[in-house]
Amino acid sequence: MQSQPTDSSDFANPNFARSTDASNSSGAPIQPTETLLNEPTVFSSQFIDCMEMNADARTVAQYLDVHQDWFRRCAHPMQVEAIGQNSYALIIGHFGAFGYDVEPKVGLDLLPQQEGIYRIETVPVPGDTSLGYEVDFQAALHLVEHPSQSDPTAKMTQVQWQLDLQVSIQFPRFIHALPDSLVQKTGDRILRQVVRQVSRRLTHRVQEDFHSSRNLPFPKRARRKLL
């Protein structure tokens, strides 16, 4: 019988991968349709982030508006597939703990800006049904222009954004044999770690892509905040 890891920290390691066919304590394959409970466990998190751009708000907006040119490139190494004019399906990777793992996949709609505010919302991924989880992703980005500290005659733009994320998972029955508090605590921590990893990677790549494409110096990295 293949042993299953019991260290909950494995769940937040994107390099941790196993077959998506999990096994129960007897080693028999788990059948999702037979073992998933109807009542999902809900995890939620808020995330506040920002990134500095060495350009005025109009220049930054022109870049962000054409997400077809940069989103898939900047999201690498996540697998990204266009599923609509403004929407994408993202595969983050394998995450697991307690003998159960999942390959998170989410559809995101990058809505056109309205008065300098960009919104990103969850959309269904075509062909994906009965995944055992649901994701509610609601993000808003706001462009704030301000003078450059190094050159008062130049303009900079801070892209401020906030994410409200909720994930509902229908766990197999053997997971519910564990204490509810342990499952909830582990899931909340995993959600925060996943968001942190994805945010930092994507933010850095977008900043790097924007400034290199316009031959602008890269600004100092801003602090992130998890709520």
Side-chain angles (χ1 to χ4, degrees):
M1 180 180 70
Q2 182 180 4
S3 64
Q4 300 290 349
T6 57
D7 185 354
S8 61
S9 63
D10 285 340
F11 207 168
N13 182 0
N15 296 320
F16 172 68
R18 299 194 312 275
S19 169
T20 53
D21 295 327
S23 301
N24 59 22
S25 59
S26 65
I30 294 171
Q31 302 299 326
T33 56
E34 297 177 0
T35 59
L36 293 179
L37 297 179
N38 291 328
E39 290 298 327
T41 302
V42 180
F43 308 98
S44 60
S45 180
Q46 287 185 316
F47 188 71
I48 297 175
D49 200 357
C50 66
M51 56 183 173
E52 291 284 357
M53 304 295 209
N54 274 327
D56 58 76
R58 181 179 179 182
T59 301
V60 176
Q62 290 173 344
Y63 171 83
L64 294 177
D65 285 343
V66 192
H67 55 78
Q68 296 87 350
D69 288 348
W70 56 265
F71 185 77
R72 296 178 70 174
R73 178 172 64 252
C74 293
H76 182 81
M78 290 184 294
Q79 298 181 42
V80 182
E81 177 187 1
I83 57 176
Q85 183 177 358
N86 298 310
S87 55
Y88 304 86
L90 281 75
I91 300 177
I92 300 175
H94 280 84
F95 299 86
F98 307 128
Y100 178 78
D101 64 352
V102 64
E103 186 177 53
K105 188 174 188 179
V106 60
L108 300 180
D109 193 13
L110 281 62
L111 301 176
Q113 68 155 310
Q114 292 185 345
E115 299 180 354
I117 298 178
Y118 296 82
R119 298 189 183 279
I120 304 176
E121 299 179 350
T122 307
V123 293
V125 177
D128 280 357
T129 58
S130 302
L131 295 174
Y133 63 87
E134 292 184 0
V135 179
D136 184 13
F137 184 108
Q138 303 290 331
L141 293 78
H142 183 214
L143 306 185
V144 180
E145 188 178 271
H146 61 90
S148 171
Q149 293 182 353
S150 58
D151 182 2
T153 63
K155 297 293 185 181
M156 294 187 64
T157 301
Q158 187 177 78
V159 181
Q160 302 175 349
W161 63 278
Q162 179 170 338
L163 167 65
D164 292 310
L165 182 63
Q166 186 175 89
V167 180
S168 302
I169 301 178
Q170 290 180 296
F171 284 116
R173 294 183 183 276
F174 76 93
I175 290 292
H176 288 274
L178 300 169
D180 291 342
S181 59
L182 177 61
V183 173
Q184 189 72 50
K185 181 179 179 180
T186 302
D188 287 339
R189 186 178 70 253
I190 290 163
L191 186 60
R192 289 163 60 91
Q193 291 176 337
V194 170
V195 170
R196 183 187 297 112
Q197 291 171 2
V198 172
S199 169
R200 289 179 175 175
R201 182 186 304 136
L202 184 58
T203 296
H204 180 77
R205 286 186 175 272
V206 170
Q207 283 182 298
E208 190 174 53
D209 187 76
F210 172 79
H211 291 92
S212 63
S213 66
R214 285 157 176 77
N215 295 318
L216 296 170
F218 196 89
K220 294 181 179 181
R221 188 173 301 177
R223 295 180 64 185
R224 278 85 176 172
K225 294 183 179 180
L226 269 174
L227 299 183

